[in-house]
Amino acid sequence: MSSPTDVRAQWAAHHPGLDTSPMEVVALLKHATGLLAKTVEPLYEGAPLTVPETDMLIPLRYATGPVIARGLADRLGLSRAGVSKALAKLERRGFVSRSPNPADRRAALVTITPAGAEAIDALFPRQLAAEVELLAGLGEDRDWVLRALGRLVEAMESAASRG
């Protein structure tokens, strides 16, 4: 199979005006995401939550103030509609509750329930342990990787807010 650099060069050769510069970065992001998914997915076989549901409950578990769906969507980089649909499923299963927001009638306050807290407390430490093992090879490069990923997210958020 061709490397991302080779694939980029092939596309550029066949489409000379096409900007192929994102291909290498996006290919690496997708590969890293796939490796992460492959590592944590087995932990969720037969579990009461899915990986995306866990991702939604993590910020709710120890939230110190009111949380609204829009805030979760922004934090997780997801669509508001997708977050609303996921929260509705979690609410039906008793993992979150939603109550009217006295400050804004259009937005409900989202709270994790005791059942949601119990589920996240059982699953998330196992996920973290798997992630620790997966990322252990970074060693001293960890801080550099964090800075680079932070910069990537900043650039992407800036572009998304302009578009």
Side-chain angles (χ1 to χ4, degrees), residues 16-86:
L18 185 62
D19 181 2
T20 61
S21 62
M23 290 180 71
E24 292 164 313
V25 172
V26 172
L28 286 170
L29 285 172
K30 288 182 178 183
H31 189 84
T33 301
L35 291 170
L36 180 59
K38 192 181 344 180
T39 297
V40 300
E41 282 175 357
L43 304 174
Y44 287 85
E45 291 176 15
L49 298 168
T50 64
V51 174
E53 289 171 338
T54 297
D55 291 342
M56 192 145 318
L57 291 178
I58 289 167
L60 292 174
R61 178 60 177 105
Y62 294 108
T64 56
V67 176
I68 58 174
R70 180 177 58 240
L72 274 177
D74 291 345
R75 177 178 178 162
L76 298 172
L78 302 171
S79 73
R80 292 178 186 171
V83 168
S84 181
K85 184 177 177 181

Side-chain angles (χ1 to χ4, degrees), residues 82-118:
V83 168
S84 181
K85 184 177 177 181
L87 287 174
K89 285 176 64 177
L90 287 166
E91 185 176 33
R92 281 193 300 275
R93 293 181 11 244
F95 294 121
V96 299
S97 64
R98 294 189 283 184
S99 58
N101 182 350
D104 182 353
R105 296 171 63 144
R106 297 168 294 160
L109 300 177
V110 183
T111 310
I112 194 168
T113 65
E118 183 179 319

